Amino acid sequence: EVQLVESGGGLVQPGRSLRLSCAGSGFSFGDHTMTWIRQAPGKGLEWVGFIRRAVYGGASEYPASVKGRFIISRDDSKSIAYLEMRSLQSEDTAVYYCTKEGQPGHGYFDLWGRGTLVTVSS
Amino acid sequence: SYELAQPLSVSVALGQTARIPCGGDNIGSKSVHWYQQKPGQAPLLVIYRNDYRPSGIPERFSASNSGNTATLTISRAQAGDEADYYCQVWGTSVVFGGGTKLTVL
């Protein structure tokens, strides 16, 4: 079955760190850019960052809202992508989705995980 | 930074045609993608590259993109089409519209 499964969410105190994982199966994981997208409670979708395929150097990009605090990495041998989040703030409370890019270079997400909830609170 | 504007809500009578706009500066020069999100579920790709439908998405879903507006069209609207709909582009960064809640009356 083609799927993405996120894990690692939970309750975390402000200022602390958390690492999310995204396990892919049923497709050639290493052939796709992997992107994290979040959704705060009752809000819209927000891009958190992506990591390109190894053939493109595995480069990553982030929006200003998380740059310097969030790091995405990947282990293609295990078909897993990671989202390392540091200095977490209440504004980071959201469901975090892992997504797979469709056709390379076309910038759409044709497979989404079910998401994992991160709650930042003391 | 690039921005996409969507109305907060759109209503459509059962069996009629719903049109959900997505506005952006010269959006017609970009590749626009659309997602459907039902309560408690992850988003689902319904249109990619302006007007392509993924496998399994009904032909009732179509889209266009020209000038400063992209539009998702849902023909013969059904109760099951009630959802939030998001447009998205990828230029220098990934950008989503704010989302439109579709209500089928």
Side-chain angles (χ1 to χ4, degrees):
Chain A
E1 182 183 3
V2 178
Q3 63 177 355
L4 294 169
V5 179
E6 303 94 338
S7 61
L11 176 64
V12 60
Q13 293 181 328
R16 302 300 291 268
S17 299
L18 196 66
R19 188 178 80 161
L20 307 182
S21 299
C22 167
S25 59
F27 66 97
S28 183
F29 189 87
D31 288 343
H32 298 274
T33 292
M34 300 302 294
T35 300
W36 287 91
I37 293 164
R38 69 183 179 184
Q39 187 171 36
K43 302 298 184 181
L45 302 173
E46 179 188 16
W47 168 60
V48 172
F50 63 75
I51 185 165
R52 297 190 186 279
R53 298 179 287 165
V55 293
Y56 291 110
S60 56
E61 296 284 346
Y62 310 90
S65 57
V66 306
K67 195 170 187 178
R69 297 191 301 123
F70 288 13
I71 297 175
I72 298 174
S73 60
R74 63 190 299 161
D75 184 340
D76 291 342
S77 69
K78 297 180 179 178
S79 298
I80 299 178
Y82 301 98
L83 175 62
E84 181 81 29
M85 304 182 291
R86 303 170 183 171
S87 302
L88 284 163
Q89 308 160 7
S90 58
E91 308 86 86
D92 297 315
T93 293
V95 174
Y96 285 73
Y97 295 103
C98 173
T99 72
K100 161 189 162 294
E101 186 186 19
Q103 297 164 292
H106 286 279
Y108 62 91
F109 313 111
D110 66 349
L111 182 65
W112 295 61
R114 298 183 68 175
T116 187
L117 176 62
V118 174
T119 302
V120 183
S121 176
S122 54
Chain B
S1 61
Y2 194 76
E3 295 183 354
L4 296 174
Q6 295 183 242
L8 287 176
S9 63
V10 167
S11 297
V12 62
L14 185 68
Q16 298 304 302
T17 298
R19 293 179 178 84
I20 299 174
C22 173
D25 184 33
N26 197 26
I27 195 174
S29 67
K30 300 180 182 299
S31 188
V32 180
H33 321 296
W34 291 90
Y35 303 87
Q36 174 194 70
Q37 186 180 31
K38 296 182 179 180
Q41 297 183 18
L44 173 70
L45 180 71
V46 294
I47 294 287
Y48 65 98
R49 295 177 61 189
N50 293 324
D51 57 6
Y52 290 86
R53 274 179 295 103
S55 173
I57 301 301
E59 293 182 7
R60 300 185 298 103
F61 287 79
S62 63
S64 61
N65 184 18
S66 179
N68 293 317
T69 304
T71 303
L72 175 68
T73 300
I74 305 172
S75 304
R76 302 182 299 284
Q78 302 177 359
D81 297 332
E82 280 207 344
D84 293 327
Y85 291 86
Y86 295 89
C87 56
Q88 176 249 319
V89 299
W90 188 330
T92 56
S93 63
V94 178
V95 180
F96 288 95
T100 297
K101 180 176 180 59
L102 177 67
T103 300
V104 180
L105 303 173

